[in-house]
Amino acid sequence: MQRRVQPTSEAIRAGNRARVVDILRRSGSATRAELINGTGLSRATVSSLIGELADRGLVSEYQQPAADSPGRPPTRLALNRAAGLAIAVDVGVRHVAVAVGDLSRSVLAERWVSLPQGHSAQRGTHIVMRSIETTLAEAEADRDQVVGAAISIAAPIAPDSGRFLVPGVLPGWNGPELAEQISRTWDIPAAVENDANLGALGESAAAGPHGQDLLYVKLASRVGLGIAFGSAIYRGRDGYAGELGHVTADPDGPTCWCGRRGCLELYAGAEGMLARLAGRGIHLGDVSELIQRAQAGDAAVLAVIEDGTRRLARALGTLALVLNPSVIALGGELTALGALLLDPVHAELAAVPFGSPVAVRTSALGPRASLMGALALVLSESSRFTDQSSAPATPDSGRAAASSAVPSRSHHHRSTVS
Ligand SMILES: [Zn+2]
């Protein structure tokens, strides 16, 4: 059914309701005063909208006791699971992780499954689909409650098509195909996003107000960077913003898989470190052996690590000067190097001549950063993932009528990846 959109009082009310819901989605919970400030609406309008959302079972009130202030704590409002649930998927080289969360940022169920060595993309996709099904069941989720899914994959991704700009570290995996399959199966919009971008968003959301301008550096087999500025992902025009691993560290260095010479990740990524050691006749099995040897004080291994972290530190010093972030969070397997990694980075950033020193630390979320970022994407980019609050309030109109409103689940379903 096509309906002419007119600026009726109901349309204005729906717009105001969306603003209230948007703040609750972004911040997890809010007081009435925060909603009034955030929306610019009157106290009476906010109260009336909250009353309507509460009547429909979408919002609950609770009191959070404040230790430092006397008197009755203000009532906080949060969206409850009737407003919608989000699916987060993280596809790594050796694992698949799935989380189901509600729109107040609580994780209801989470599941990690190992991927077999040398698995096919088809087998991997099957594991993802089965894991989503199991995790939704564990969360006791009704499939009508799910508002969207976000998938984290280690590849640079074009923002408009969801296609990989270059093949990722997962041979045969194709971002759009997995998203389309999830979208079709659960009738929800599904987005695919770079793992470092989601790591940045997850860390930024976890850090609260201090994490508004945050860089997340993923140091694993390769080197990735996510930029979350103003608590939103910065992707750039073509989607490769943050390809820190391919900044030139040595113009005369070896050829990188990207086609250029001496890229930073050939020195600061685990794959590159292992290759450099192999070139010197030292053949190590994997990252964990590299870290063990370093901790045992193996001089040849330490030399390669120190050279890599020094080059990384210099690149981060440049980034700090260009972007002036509030926090740089280091994630990925190589963070197990501890002081070997953090000390040179701290020293380089302490030498930045302006402002107060940039806070550098290891990721607060650890291996869950990208997965929590995928949940945060569904919450923060709410125009892509419609919640139940946009459905008509009248009991006789139901979900079928909701599909004529914009945006709707059914409309998103066709375009799937965005
Ligand atoms: Zn490169």
Side-chain angles (χ1 to χ4, degrees):
M1 179 182 86
Q2 282 295 335
R3 202 171 52 179
R4 273 188 67 192
V5 180
Q6 288 176 340
T8 59
S9 60
E10 179 46 39
I12 292 165
R13 193 172 170 80
N16 290 341
R17 192 169 54 224
R19 283 153 76 189
V20 168
V21 170
D22 202 46
I23 290 175
L24 293 173
R25 279 177 78 152
R26 283 169 192 274
S27 50
S29 70
T31 62
R32 278 184 162 72
E34 285 163 355
L35 289 173
I36 291 161
N37 282 337
T39 57
L41 298 170
S42 71
R43 176 168 288 274
T45 305
V46 167
S47 286
S48 155
L49 290 169
I50 291 167
E52 183 202 319
L53 290 166
D55 286 347
R56 290 167 58 197
L58 302 177
V59 159
S60 331
E61 297 187 22
Y62 67 98
Q63 281 185 336
Q64 196 172 43
D68 51 345
S69 64
R72 196 163 145 253
T75 304
R76 297 197 73 82
L77 297 135
L79 294 168
N80 57 35
R81 58 187 292 156
L85 300 176
I87 298 171
V89 179
D90 174 31
V91 182
V93 178
R94 284 176 295 270
H95 74 268
V96 161
V98 174
V100 172
D102 66 18
L103 299 189
S104 71
R105 297 180 180 275
S106 306
V107 174
L108 303 174
E110 185 175 330
R111 195 173 181 79
W112 289 67
V113 182
S114 301
L115 284 179
Q117 189 100 40
H119 70 276
S120 67
Q122 196 187 5
R123 171 103 185 100
T125 302
H126 179 74
I127 293 173
V128 169
M129 299 304 280
R130 231 186 30 208
S131 300
I132 293 177
E133 214 167 288
T134 317
T135 315
L136 283 171
E138 279 168 4
E140 296 177 4
D142 170 1
R143 62 186 290 152
D144 279 356
Q145 292 177 318
V146 183
V147 300
I151 305 149
S152 162
I153 289 193
I157 291 159
D160 47 351
S161 67
R163 300 216 155 269
F164 294 175
L165 295 172
V166 295
V169 286
L170 301 157
W173 280 82
N174 174 318
E177 278 171 18
L178 177 59
E180 274 159 28
Q181 203 168 331
I182 291 173
S183 180
R184 245 194 338 267
T185 306
W186 284 282
D187 188 22
I188 48 172
V192 56
E193 183 60 72
N194 171 266
D195 62 337
N197 286 354
L198 289 177
L201 190 63
E203 287 290 326
S204 172
H210 304 293
Q212 279 204 354
D213 296 313
L214 180 140
L215 300 180
Y216 174 77
V217 185
K218 187 167 178 187
L219 300 162
S221 298
R222 296 182 179 177
V223 173
L225 169 74
I227 304 167
F229 272 17
S231 305
I233 296 173
Y234 177 75
R235 298 181 176 88
R237 188 194 61 182
D238 296 317
Y240 65 78
E243 282 302 318
L244 178 70
H246 302 282
V247 164
T248 306
D250 179 1
D252 302 318
T255 304
C256 176
W257 61 266
C258 78
R260 304 219 307 170
R261 296 185 81 92
C263 291
L264 179 62
E265 74 178 24
L266 300 181
Y267 303 89
E271 215 172 82
M273 288 177 178
L274 291 171
R276 290 184 86 192
L277 286 164
R280 293 166 197 188
I282 302 165
H283 298 274
L284 304 182
D286 57 10
V287 190
S288 42
E289 197 182 344
L290 180 84
I291 291 162
Q292 277 166 22
R293 291 278 199 109
Q295 283 162 348
D298 184 316
V301 171
L302 283 174
V304 162
I305 289 173
E306 277 161 15
D307 181 63
T309 51
R310 191 170 43 82
R311 292 175 195 266
L312 172 77
R314 207 179 295 145
L316 293 181
T318 304
L319 272 180
L321 278 169
V322 173
L323 296 171
N324 186 21
S326 54
V327 180
I328 297 180
L330 306 177
E333 291 158 306
L334 285 183
T335 52
L337 290 170
L340 281 174
L341 172 67
L342 281 167
D343 286 354
V345 176
H346 275 138
E348 186 72 33
L349 288 161
V352 170
F354 308 110
S356 53
V358 178
V360 183
R361 54 167 174 78
T362 49
S363 153
L365 296 168
R368 295 171 76 230
S370 298
L371 184 67
M372 292 302 103
L375 266 189
L377 187 79
V378 180
L379 301 175
S380 63
E381 298 194 357
S382 49
S383 60
R384 295 163 77 177
F385 308 99
T386 314
D387 54 61
Q388 306 298 329
S389 64
S390 62
T394 45
D396 57 334
S397 38
R399 276 174 54 80
S403 66
S404 67
V406 180
S408 80
R409 287 158 59 103
S410 310
H411 287 157
H412 274 292
H413 172 220
R414 284 190 176 273
S415 56
T416 55
V417 187
S418 52

